Amino acid sequence: MSSVLKFYSDTDLGAIEARPFKVFNERSLEKIPQLAKLTEAQRFEMKVVASVLPFRVNEYVINELIDWSDIPADPIFQLTFPQKGMLAPESYERMAELHRRGADKAQISALAKELRDGLNPHPAGQLEMNLPRVNGEVVEGLQHKYRETVLFFPSQGQTCHSYCTFCFRWAQFVGDKDLRIASNQKDQVLGYLREHPQVTDLLVTGGDPMVMKTKNLAQYLEPLMEDDSLAHVQTVRIGTKALTFWPYRFVTDNDADELLGLLTRLVKSGRHVAIMAHYNHWRELETPIAREAIRRLRETGVEIRSQGPLLAHINDDPAVWARLWKTQVQLGIIPYYMFVERDTGARHYFEVPLAKAANIYREAMKQVSGLGRTARGPSMSAGPGKVEIQGVAEIQGEKVFVLRFIQARNPDWVQRPFFAKYDEQATWLNHLKPAFGEEKFFFEDEYEAMQAGSG
Ligand code: SF4
């Protein structure tokens, strides 16, 4: 295996071999051979950050996706390896000090918890507002934010083949049970869906549901095909980054064929099955195994839609997005969303001001054909809904952001243009002020009432 990134223009099937899944975490960080090339100071920084933010990376990512001659700038290195700047300087210093004086595990864990609590582990009211109930009892592992879509977090899928350093679900990976959203209550979940005929879309998410064995995934998906009382669930989306982090899942893993068979049957049952593939950089699409996984998945009849956040240090460049979308279209993937990095975890390291984000989106769009322009964004998954920055305009002498809800807690808010004062620094919806001297955005009173009622 080479440590230098290879660029493939076409799938080279001869290069594909099964490989064992070998993963490193903060305890085995030092065992990654490539890190020997870094200075001791750099390795220490990683260790400090990895004791607060989740770290997990597998050998495929290390050997095939990262260009080790371009460290630390390499985007996939930034995507998976902890960097000093991911913690605020004061937080970093406090944790570094504990490590320097050889503090025990309990002290490190206590400080890690304190620091994590300050990083908004559940943005956009995930824990308070979106919990579905049956007979007053909360159904574990479900979120029901939008009328027609239910999010399901199967308990066996609450990890990923590697972790993204910017992950907005990071809180689920750090072992704090209070922060987890997960479920193994299959009957309750299916029961909830039966009782809610307005739900047409089921989004299976995580972590990454593709870390699950096929037989575990099947226990949730098979009933959709067998049970008439679930016929209203017409669309099944599966969120995953396995096409990047572990494409072997769809090609050489023991139950890869079984997985593809399950998806084929689900498609044949008349369901629209969408693989919501998380991509951040065109480099993720370049290895033979990644391309073979895409090819095999598409053969089942599923759609692959791509989505991912815009991130400083990784992809804040229109050329990166243009190449990502062009390559996706070439491979039969439908570009779907460019997200704004959420207000959680190490966001200060990755955040891109909304004004810059809108510009990157537009400049990238200009470079792609119509089929690449299906990507919406930049979009913020905020408390009231998904808000897209449509652009910057000048109206009656005032420079404004033109915004719209792509998705909203109240469907009536969707597609209604609204305006915020232009602000070069703003990075999230709550930084924006209404334009034209208005006091509130049109949805604010209603949203506040919803928040008050959800307690
Ligand atoms: S794949 Fe998704 S859930 Fe997993 S670490 Fe990355 S962003 Fe988080």
Side-chain angles (χ1 to χ4, degrees), residues 310-332:
L310 172 61
L311 304 150
H313 304 283
I314 293 179
N315 60 18
D316 55 342
D317 175 355
V320 170
W321 285 89
R323 181 159 174 185
L324 176 69
W325 289 333
K326 278 184 199 166
T327 311
Q328 286 173 345
V329 169
Q330 185 197 349
L331 298 174

Side-chain angles (χ1 to χ4, degrees), residues 160 162-164 166-167 169 173 207 241 245 278:
C160 303
S162 290
Y163 290 152
C164 307
F166 55 81
C167 178
R169 298 222 167 109
F173 307 137
K241 200 171 171 68
F245 284 155
H278 174 186

Side-chain angles (χ1 to χ4, degrees), residues 190-399:
L190 296 174
Y192 184 82
L193 290 173
R194 276 188 201 100
E195 282 176 22
H196 291 81
Q198 80 276 24
V199 174
T200 54
D201 286 45
L202 174 66
L203 168 55
V204 186
T205 184
D208 193 327
M210 289 301 179
V211 300
M212 293 160 70
K213 292 272 174 240
T214 303
K215 67 175 188 326
N216 289 329
L217 194 57
Q219 64 167 325
Y220 302 112
L221 299 184
E222 298 276 6
L224 300 179
M225 299 183 250
E226 292 159 359
D227 184 340
D228 287 347
S229 65
L230 293 165
H232 55 284
V233 183
Q234 277 299 308
T235 302
V236 177
R237 306 184 215 178
I238 304 174
T240 183
K241 200 171 171 68
L243 281 167
T244 292
F245 284 155
W246 190 245
Y248 298 87
R249 177 71 189 93
F250 309 99
V251 184
T252 58
D253 273 9
N254 288 340
D255 58 352
D257 289 346
E258 222 179 295
L259 172 64
L260 299 183
L262 173 68
L263 295 174
T264 304
R265 288 201 306 286
L266 200 54
V267 171
K268 285 200 173 139
S269 79
R271 290 336 197 281
H272 179 129
V273 183
I275 302 297
M276 311 306 292
H278 174 186
Y279 283 111
N280 306 103
H281 199 283
W282 53 263
R283 289 256 298 274
E284 298 162 59
L285 293 158
E286 296 297 312
T287 62
I289 185 72
R291 294 194 170 196
E292 177 63 0
I294 293 164
R295 193 193 64 74
R296 295 191 99 215
L297 263 179
R298 290 192 67 222
E299 245 177 24
T300 67
V302 302
E303 298 287 359
I304 309 176
R305 292 176 194 271
S306 75
Q307 53 189 21
L310 172 61
L311 304 150
H313 304 283
I314 293 179
N315 60 18
D316 55 342
D317 175 355
V320 170
W321 285 89
R323 181 159 174 185
L324 176 69
W325 289 333
K326 278 184 199 166
T327 311
Q328 286 173 345
V329 169
Q330 185 197 349
L331 298 174
I333 298 175
I334 304 164
Y336 187 49
Y337 265 117
M338 173 199 274
F339 289 122
V340 177
E341 170 62 353
R342 290 179 82 153
D343 50 343
T344 180
R347 73 92 64 100
H348 65 279
Y349 185 78
F350 293 109
E351 68 189 359
V352 175
L354 300 175
K356 185 174 174 192
N359 192 48
I360 290 173
Y361 174 83
R362 184 159 173 264
E363 290 302 317
M365 275 285 147
K366 276 159 61 176
Q367 298 176 45
V368 300
S369 77
L371 290 187
R373 291 185 184 158
T374 47
R376 298 184 289 190
S379 169
M380 293 173 270
S381 292
K386 284 200 176 68
V387 177
E388 183 191 56
I389 302 137
Q390 293 208 277
V392 176
E394 201 169 302
I395 300 176
Q396 293 175 345
E398 184 171 342
K399 198 171 179 187

Side-chain angles (χ1 to χ4, degrees), residues 138-173:
V138 169
V139 184
E140 299 284 336
L142 282 192
Q143 278 188 39
H144 194 174
K145 181 169 175 179
Y146 305 122
R147 184 183 51 189
E148 65 277 10
T149 307
V150 160
L151 269 67
F152 171 43
F153 300 76
S155 62
Q156 308 95 328
Q158 297 312 302
T159 183
C160 303
H161 294 101
S162 290
Y163 290 152
C164 307
T165 39
F166 55 81
C167 178
F168 74 97
R169 298 222 167 109
W170 62 278
Q172 288 162 232
F173 307 137

Side-chain angles (χ1 to χ4, degrees), residues 10-178:
D10 275 309
T11 301
D12 173 7
L13 297 182
I16 293 176
E17 279 172 32
R19 71 194 302 160
F21 181 71
K22 184 166 182 206
V23 77
F24 298 89
N25 59 24
E26 84 276 12
R27 288 182 302 280
S28 48
L29 183 65
E30 302 273 1
K31 296 196 179 124
I32 299 172
Q34 284 87 342
L35 293 192
K37 292 180 198 149
L38 304 187
T39 64
E40 203 172 310
Q42 281 172 312
R43 290 201 300 273
F44 177 74
E45 287 168 3
M46 282 188 184
K47 206 166 126 188
V48 171
V49 177
S51 48
V52 181
L53 298 171
F55 170 68
R56 178 176 161 92
V57 65
N58 73 61
E59 227 177 26
Y60 165 72
V61 176
I62 295 171
N63 289 347
E64 307 293 332
L65 295 187
I66 294 176
D67 178 356
W68 289 92
S69 68
D70 188 26
I71 297 303
D74 180 79
I76 312 297
F77 180 71
Q78 293 281 333
L79 169 71
T80 48
F81 277 82
Q83 313 292 326
K84 186 179 179 187
M86 289 174 186
L87 291 182
E90 196 223 358
S91 304
Y92 176 87
E93 258 323 304
R94 288 178 66 198
M95 186 53 90
E97 184 48 29
L98 287 191
H99 281 277
R100 273 185 215 115
R101 65 179 163 83
D104 61 27
K105 213 173 151 222
Q107 284 174 300
I108 291 179
S109 300
L111 179 59
K113 181 170 184 333
E114 183 195 326
L115 298 178
R116 286 173 197 145
D117 286 348
L119 293 172
N120 190 22
H122 280 284
Q126 278 182 50
L127 279 187
E128 305 81 27
M129 287 192 71
N130 305 327
L131 295 180
R133 286 164 209 266
V134 169
N135 302 328
E137 293 274 308
V138 169
V139 184
E140 299 284 336
L142 282 192
Q143 278 188 39
H144 194 174
K145 181 169 175 179
Y146 305 122
R147 184 183 51 189
E148 65 277 10
T149 307
V150 160
L151 269 67
F152 171 43
F153 300 76
S155 62
Q156 308 95 328
Q158 297 312 302
T159 183
C160 303
H161 294 101
S162 290
Y163 290 152
C164 307
T165 39
F166 55 81
C167 178
F168 74 97
R169 298 222 167 109
W170 62 278
Q172 288 162 232
F173 307 137
V174 287
D176 183 340
K177 285 218 171 82
D178 294 346

